[in-house]
Amino acid sequence: MLRRTGGPMQLMTILRTWYAHKWLRAIDLSLAQYVLEKLGESAEEVAFFAALASHQLGHGHPCLDLQHLRRNANAVLQLPPEHASHESRHACLSAEQALALITNDWPELLAASAAVNVASSPMVLSANRRLYLRRYWRYEQIIRHDLLARCQNITALDPVVLKQTLDALFGSSSQLSWQRVACAMAARSGFTIITGGPGTGKTYTVVRLLATLQQHREQQTPLRIRLAAPTGKAAARMTSSIEKELQNLPEDLVDTITERQAVTLHRLLGSSGHSREFRHNRRNPLLADVVIVDEASMVDIEMMAALTQALAPATRLILLGDKDQLASVEAGAVLGQLCEGAEQGHYQRELADWLAQSHGIPLPEDSIDDAGAARWPYLQHTVMLHESRRFDAERGIGKLAHEINAQQTQWLERWLADARGMAAENPALANINAMSINSSGSRRFRELVSEGYGPLLQLLAQGPGTDVDVWGEQLLQQLERFQVLAAVRSGDWGVERLNQLITLWLFGDTVSADKWFAGRAVMITQNDYSVDLRNGDIGLAVQLDPQQPLRVLFRGSNGRLRWLLPSRLTHLETAFAMTIHKSQGSEFSHTVVVLPEHDSPILTKELLYTGITRASEQLTLVYRSAERVIAATQRRIERSGGLTIAEERHE
């Protein structure tokens, strides 16, 4: 029997207090008020859960997981939030304290409400556990049903004939090549995931996959292949990587690869003004035989649903990405959920035998699981690349990333205690440094940042000379040589404070971090279709001529330089320091990762791993407490969702 909570509108009072202290967004509170207006005061508990589901969406979770919530409400909801002041913590109840006021059985309460699981209701309760806002439940359903259908599109390829093609592309070897296995998998299936860490050969594999697909196409005309990535920077990197790798292909195969230019997903699907709708959709599918998406871990659930709907049923979809990276900034962890268990393979025997014939080498016995298809259907279309060509798991950046990703803290504790001593004993560790400081204003940290950004300031001081585009290219390349990444936005160790300090250190007190000045690095924070810029694009304010206004230099989605007036830009922020989340899809020669003084649920091994692997040559980890680094390594991120689970349908 459902019972009323203690006091009149007590839960709504809690929500309003949370909102007043910026623990909730306005949209979270508005949804709760909407449910109350429609259903009356008796629905206060349901309205409270609606606000929590909306709050979770703002933290990247497509749903509110009631089981996780019951186990550790404060950690799941991050209430109090990491930015909460002492005053607000005293004025507000925690999530756990607020939920203790609800004495009804949560699933029973929600299932009985007119706001849940009825036609056009704003929420869906799935599997008696996951509470969704209906739109995000629909996105999940669209993705699941589309991908499972594509998994059924199996091309009848003779593995012996395929082996001849792969021998020409990869060469013959007595060693198992997971890149070659991935190529065979993608040539066979209508949907494939190729996952692996930095330098594991995803681009190397894709270039050979493109040649394989063209070699084994059924029609006479070349396949229509489209390449895409979530951001302009990621698309430019994909294009550049493919062009470089083509130089390693046999000449007679290079000409078969007709598509080499990657575009953003927004451009691929045809974004239309400020609408959420795309030009290509279920009614107007994209004309393509193959679509390959790089950096797929950054693709949120809404974009993935739009992508799958825009592809014809026969279009082959291939996702590339690192499943161990942070999930997308927006809601969803699509790649991570689809790749769950990928380290172990879980291939059915029949599939493993076919892959072995196409390779000439059997797959490891521990990667074969006859029950795998029932529990992990997507893994029958997934290959994980294990060996990094960029990072040796026993050297420098690769060693540090490996230890953190594996959550092995013993080596990490020794390194944090004596990074210089370990580097002196083992030169392979010389490109990783641990810097323990008491505050972000530390002299050592200031010297590190000033030295890192020094070459950029020198280039700016030189001016454009006779060739503006050459200068612009040099500036953008230099901007990728050094970058400060922070785990949090607020506080002494957060992005906001760091940008103020770095601006002061580099340019003095005559400029402000939130105002325009020559040399200001900026990041776009929302998609701006009017100027064709996307969330995460990086620009640099420059003075081309003292008599002319400032221009902001960007690299367009086609790789060309763009010089825009600051007045045309709306949603942006200074980016000498950026969050680790925002750095996904980027790579910097020297990356400085800054961890906050206080512990927080957002400090996870995925966050550390992502920040560390943004470095290509040198990594500096800045922190105050080694204990906080160890605690973050031991904590894993869990994004709620049921993408890989067969769900009940609620229309």
Side-chain angles (χ1 to χ4, degrees):
M1 178 179 178
L2 299 181
R3 298 174 294 277
R4 188 80 169 84
T5 54
M9 294 290 100
Q10 188 173 6
L11 293 172
M12 290 303 298
T13 300
I14 292 170
L15 291 179
R16 293 188 184 98
T17 305
W18 284 352
Y19 170 67
H21 287 271
K22 298 183 179 179
W23 289 22
L24 289 184
R25 304 173 300 168
I27 194 171
D28 306 330
L29 180 60
S30 296
L31 180 59
Q33 292 171 334
Y34 171 79
V35 171
L36 273 186
E37 290 171 5
K38 293 295 183 181
L39 301 181
E41 292 186 3
S42 63
E44 183 191 18
E45 293 157 311
V46 175
F48 186 76
F49 277 110
L52 297 187
S54 177
H55 169 77
Q56 287 299 85
L57 192 60
H59 282 74
H61 301 273
C63 65
L64 174 67
D65 191 307
L66 301 182
Q67 288 187 14
H68 292 167
L69 188 67
R70 194 176 295 280
R71 285 202 299 266
N72 194 342
N74 290 352
V76 168
L77 296 172
Q78 296 182 33
L79 295 175
E82 53 96 4
H83 62 73
S85 65
H86 177 76
E87 176 189 1
S88 69
R89 290 173 189 269
H90 181 74
C92 301
L93 292 182
S94 69
E96 184 176 335
Q97 291 169 327
L99 285 163
L101 299 173
I102 303 178
T103 56
N104 289 305
D105 178 78
W106 298 350
E108 180 185 357
L109 167 75
L110 294 165
S113 173
V116 181
N117 288 359
V118 297
S120 302
S121 63
M123 292 181 289
V124 171
L125 180 65
S126 185
N128 215 35
R129 170 180 175 176
R130 284 176 283 275
L131 182 66
Y132 293 83
L133 301 189
R134 177 169 287 274
R135 181 154 58 93
Y136 286 84
W137 176 81
R138 286 193 64 253
Y139 291 150
E140 201 168 87
Q141 297 298 306
I142 288 168
I143 295 168
R144 177 189 298 106
H145 296 150
D146 181 274
L147 296 186
L148 288 176
R150 291 183 195 280
C151 287
Q152 302 305 311
N153 295 342
I154 303 298
T155 302
L157 276 177
D158 183 339
V160 176
V161 175
L162 178 60
K163 181 179 182 301
Q164 296 173 358
T165 302
L166 297 180
D167 283 344
L169 291 165
F170 290 88
S172 57
S173 173
S174 59
Q175 300 290 324
L176 178 69
S177 164
W178 285 106
Q179 289 93 346
R180 181 167 173 153
V181 172
C183 194
M185 179 81 83
R188 173 182 184 271
S189 176
F191 170 64
T192 307
I193 300 173
I194 303 174
T195 185
T200 50
K202 294 186 289 292
T203 304
Y204 171 87
T205 304
V206 165
V207 167
R208 285 152 184 79
L209 171 59
L210 293 173
T212 301
L213 293 175
Q214 295 289 11
Q215 287 284 96
H216 292 271
R217 66 184 185 272
E218 296 179 359
Q219 63 270 45
Q220 293 297 315
T221 56
L223 293 174
R224 297 168 297 182
I225 297 175
R226 303 299 302 274
L227 309 174
T231 66
K233 179 175 285 189
R237 284 190 60 200
M238 186 183 191
T239 300
S240 174
S241 298
I242 287 175
E243 287 289 354
K244 289 178 182 177
E245 190 57 45
L246 283 173
Q247 299 173 15
N248 298 321
L249 272 188
E251 289 187 16
D252 59 325
L253 294 176
V254 171
D255 293 338
T256 67
I257 301 177
T258 55
E259 182 56 60
R260 306 174 185 184
Q261 178 73 48
V263 299
T264 63
L265 283 170
H266 283 84
R267 188 170 180 181
L268 177 75
L269 301 184
S271 57
S272 53
H274 297 277
S275 170
R276 301 181 93 102
E277 297 295 323
F278 291 98
R279 182 164 55 87
H280 292 294
N281 49 44
R282 183 166 289 164
R283 299 178 300 278
N284 179 33
L286 183 72
L287 296 177
D289 299 303
V290 181
V291 171
I292 301 177
V293 180
D294 197 11
E295 297 289 355
S297 64
M298 298 169 61
V299 182
D300 61 80
I301 192 170
E302 182 176 2
M303 177 57 79
M304 187 62 75
L307 173 64
T308 56
Q309 284 188 298
L311 303 185
T315 299
R316 194 187 305 263
L317 175 61
I318 300 167
L319 303 180
L320 314 174
D322 185 349
K323 73 176 187 64
D324 294 317
Q325 275 193 47
L326 284 167
S328 57
V329 175
E330 304 298 332
V334 177
L335 189 73
Q337 288 187 23
L338 295 176
C339 292
E340 184 180 345
E343 295 91 343
Q344 292 78 36
H346 294 288
Y347 300 127
Q348 281 189 302
R349 176 73 62 179
E350 181 182 355
L351 171 60
D353 289 344
W354 187 92
L355 292 170
Q357 290 180 61
S358 70
H359 195 310
I361 298 174
L363 270 61
E365 194 63 28
D366 60 6
S367 70
I368 300 173
D369 177 6
D370 285 329
R375 186 174 177 186
W376 293 284
Y378 300 108
L379 293 190
Q380 309 309 305
H381 306 265
T382 300
V383 175
M384 183 168 182
L385 309 180
H386 300 274
E387 296 184 7
S388 176
R389 299 181 175 202
R390 187 185 313 165
F391 297 136
D392 186 328
E394 294 301 321
R395 300 174 63 87
I397 297 168
K399 175 66 173 176
L400 182 59
H402 172 76
E403 296 295 329
I404 287 174
N405 198 34
Q407 297 182 291
Q408 300 297 319
T409 58
Q410 186 175 0
W411 180 89
L412 184 61
E413 288 173 345
R414 289 193 291 112
W415 178 73
L416 291 170
D418 188 19
R420 289 189 177 181
M422 290 177 66
E425 294 177 7
N426 182 2
L429 302 178
N431 66 341
I432 54 174
N433 183 40
M435 180 182 288
S436 176
I437 58 177
N438 290 325
S439 75
S440 57
S442 161
R443 178 183 58 81
R444 291 173 63 208
F445 183 53
R446 175 175 181 170
E447 291 173 351
L448 173 71
V449 170
S450 298
E451 181 180 347
Y453 280 119
L456 178 66
L457 298 187
Q458 293 175 10
L459 265 176
L460 285 165
Q462 290 174 11
T466 58
D467 195 324
V468 171
D469 285 341
V470 169
W471 183 61
E473 188 65 41
Q474 291 173 339
L475 287 171
L476 290 184
Q477 289 179 8
Q478 187 59 51
L479 199 57
E480 295 180 349
R481 297 288 302 169
F482 183 84
Q483 182 65 53
V484 176
L485 304 180
V488 296
R489 293 196 59 83
S490 305
D492 190 43
W493 305 72
V495 164
E496 295 166 357
R497 174 62 175 159
L498 291 175
N499 274 313
Q500 292 173 353
L501 287 173
I502 295 172
T503 299
L504 175 65
W505 294 340
L506 298 182
F507 299 95
D509 57 6
T510 59
V511 299
S512 173
D514 58 353
K515 304 295 183 184
W516 286 109
F517 58 89
R520 182 190 183 193
V522 295
M523 172 184 284
I524 301 299
T525 58
Q526 291 185 27
N527 293 336
D528 190 340
Y529 303 103
S530 64
V531 289
D532 194 26
L533 290 175
R534 306 299 175 208
N535 186 1
D537 285 350
I538 300 293
L540 183 69
V542 296
Q543 190 79 59
L544 293 173
D545 186 298
Q547 307 304 317
Q548 296 182 9
L550 286 177
R551 300 280 176 169
V552 189
L553 172 63
F554 289 92
R555 191 184 306 283
S557 57
N558 58 3
R560 297 176 183 173
L561 301 184
R562 303 182 65 200
W563 309 80
L564 302 176
L565 289 170
S567 58
R568 298 188 63 190
L569 308 177
T570 51
H571 302 288
L572 53 81
E573 61 188 18
T574 300
F576 294 115
M578 67 177 76
T579 62
I580 296 173
H581 266 97
K582 287 286 190 179
S583 73
Q584 291 183 88
S586 300
E587 181 180 286
F588 310 100
S589 301
H590 183 181
T591 301
V592 178
V593 175
V594 181
L595 298 185
E597 175 183 6
H598 301 292
D599 197 17
S600 167
I602 70 169
L603 297 180
T604 63
K605 70 108 171 173
E606 290 86 357
L607 187 87
L608 281 175
Y609 172 83
T610 301
I612 288 166
T613 54
R614 297 313 90 205
S616 61
E617 298 176 12
Q618 186 174 355
L619 183 282
T620 302
L621 181 64
V622 177
Y623 60 95
R624 179 170 182 178
S625 167
E627 288 74 19
R628 295 286 174 264
V629 181
I630 299 301
T633 302
Q634 294 172 325
R635 184 184 294 121
R636 297 195 63 166
I637 193 169
E638 291 187 20
R639 280 218 172 165
S640 301
L643 187 60
T644 60
I645 302 168
E647 301 282 333
E648 301 173 14
R649 292 187 63 82
H650 302 287
E651 300 298 342

